[in-house]
Amino acid sequence: AVPAGSAAAGRTLRELDLRRRTGATVLAVERGGELQVNPSPEFQLEAGDGLLAFADGAALDAMTNVLAPQ
């Protein structure tokens, strides 16, 4: 999830570059009960978004750190 206070809120998936930075691949984003499958690189994240990602344990930990509140 993208918590309140996360620096990821308001940024696009392209800007975050999660795959290169963490090894995690975002497959879908859940927002307000709706699922955005295969979001584009220009998809802008918001606080409260849930991310469905393909990741091993290390990549999941790294992604959680990137999304953590600042």
Side-chain angles (χ1 to χ4, degrees):
V2 179
S6 172
R11 297 180 68 196
T12 66
L13 292 172
R14 181 184 310 279
E15 290 172 322
L16 291 173
D17 200 10
L18 292 173
R19 185 179 303 161
R20 183 189 61 76
R21 291 174 65 190
T22 69
T25 301
V26 176
L27 303 174
V29 178
E30 185 275 328
R31 178 182 293 159
E34 295 195 20
L35 196 62
Q36 173 71 39
V37 178
N38 195 25
S40 78
E42 301 312 317
F43 188 89
Q44 189 173 34
L45 295 178
E46 296 178 0
D49 285 351
L51 295 146
L52 175 65
F54 180 77
D56 63 16
L60 184 59
D61 288 343
M63 186 173 77
T64 300
N65 288 335
V66 169
L67 299 176
Q70 299 297 314

